[in-house]
Amino acid sequence: MKHMRPLPLALALLLPLLAVSTALASGDDDDDHDRARAALERGAILPLAEIAAIAQTAYGGRLIEVEFDEEDGRFIYELEMIRADGQMIEVEIDAASGRILKMEAEDD
C-alpha cells in the first residue's frame, strides 16, 4: 500500500473555495461571477478567499453558497454557511472592506 502525503495547508484551504467559485460561475449566476471578477480586477473588492476566511474566522463552519450583490452602491458578498452543530447561517460582508454587515441564523 502506497503512503499518501497530506495536502499542503494552503491547498486544503483552497479546495472548498474552488467549489464555491464554480457555483458562482454556473447558471443564472454568470452575471454575478462576471461582475465580481471585473470588480476584483479593478481593485474595488477583496478576493473571495479573504472574504471566506473572515466569515470562517468569525463564525466557523463550512461555506456552501456565495452570492454577489450590489446594495446602495456597494458590493456585498452573501455567504451561506453550515456550522459544526448543523446550524445554517447567512453572513453579509462588505466586499470592499471585509466588514461583516449582518449574520442571520436560518430557520428550518
Side-chain angles (χ1 to χ4, degrees), residues 31-44:
D31 192 42
D32 283 356
H33 181 70
D34 292 339
R35 288 184 311 126
R37 182 181 0 199
L40 180 62
E41 288 172 357
R42 289 191 315 271

Side-chain angles (χ1 to χ4, degrees), residues 69-76:
D69 290 321
E70 187 173 354
E71 295 177 7
D72 300 323
R74 70 177 169 189
F75 293 115
I76 306 291

Side-chain angles (χ1 to χ4, degrees), residues 61-80:
R62 193 179 87 214
L63 185 61
I64 57 174
E65 186 177 336
V66 176
E67 290 183 26
F68 183 74
D69 290 321
E70 187 173 354
E71 295 177 7
D72 300 323
R74 70 177 169 189
F75 293 115
I76 306 291
Y77 277 111
E78 295 177 5
L79 286 68
E80 188 171 321

